[in-house]
Amino acid sequence: AQSVSQHNHHVILSEAASLELGCNYSYGGTVNLFWYVQYPGQHLQLLLKYFSGDPLVKGIKGFEAEFIKSKFSFNLRKPSVQWSDTAEYFCAVTLPYSSASKIIFGSGTRLSIRP
Amino acid sequence: DVKVTQSSRYLVKRTGEKVFLECVQDMDHENMFWYRQDPGLGLRLIYFSYDVKMKEKGDIPEGYSVSREKKERFSLILESASTNQTSMYLCASVGDRGTSYEQYFGPGTRLTVT
């Protein structure tokens, strides 16, 4: 079965540290890739997405992600984190096979930033 | 802006009660989804609907049913609530296949079953 793996369940960083959150998926065909973020007490919202073209995708708030097809990966990065980046981050994949746009989510990574 | 609203932010119900969770979207989206979110498990798809009166089971449909009588409204029903259904429930909608597939989420309903 198709799946999305986020191996880091909880990451703790100090402000200004660099961030990389891993995401791997298990599907050999064409995929659309997403990172969503959920700030404490808020809705899930889209951080960035990849459909085609340049594999390095820029998102909101200084985040970026790189699609590496050979590694089935879509890791999220940020060069210098802020306390306000404390949130839960979800990687997601859509598979273009069903009549609905079904998204498969990873289990999430909780990011805690020490001020 | 797409708006997805859910009828309640917090709900407390007793074991065995019938529970209705309502979700409404205002962007004429065809596809709507119900997820539950539990710590360490991410979002798990319960049911989705790609058209009025159409529904498909997701990964964890047991103990749940859904209703889509109107395009903008997608209801999740717990026929007989149990304590293991205590969770955060998220509704989402997304447009047609020709669009970006971005899912827009509601604020969530935190359901506690006692």
Side-chain angles (χ1 to χ4, degrees), chain A residues 22-39:
Chain A
C23 172
N24 290 92
Y25 63 93
S26 62
Y27 182 71
T30 303
V31 292
N32 302 320
L33 297 155
F34 304 80
W35 275 97
Y36 285 84
V37 60
Q38 188 174 34
Y39 297 103

Side-chain angles (χ1 to χ4, degrees), chain A residues 32 34 36 38 41 43-44 46 49 51 88 90 94 96 98-103 105-107, chain B residues 9 31 33 35 37 40 42-43 45 48 50 56 59 90 94 97 100-103 105-107:
Chain A
N32 302 320
F34 304 80
Y36 285 84
Q38 188 174 34
H43 297 205
L44 264 165
L46 184 68
K49 62 189 177 189
F51 280 29
E88 190 150 19
F90 294 91
T94 56
S98 73
S99 56
S101 306
K102 183 180 172 182
I103 291 188
F105 285 87
S107 57
Chain B
R9 290 299 300 273
N31 307 303
F33 304 78
Y35 294 91
Q37 182 182 9
L43 276 71
L45 181 65
F48 65 98
Y50 51 90
E56 285 194 28
D59 301 315
L90 297 177
V94 64
R97 295 176 86 180
S100 65
Y101 294 118
E102 176 185 348
Q103 287 196 336
F105 285 88

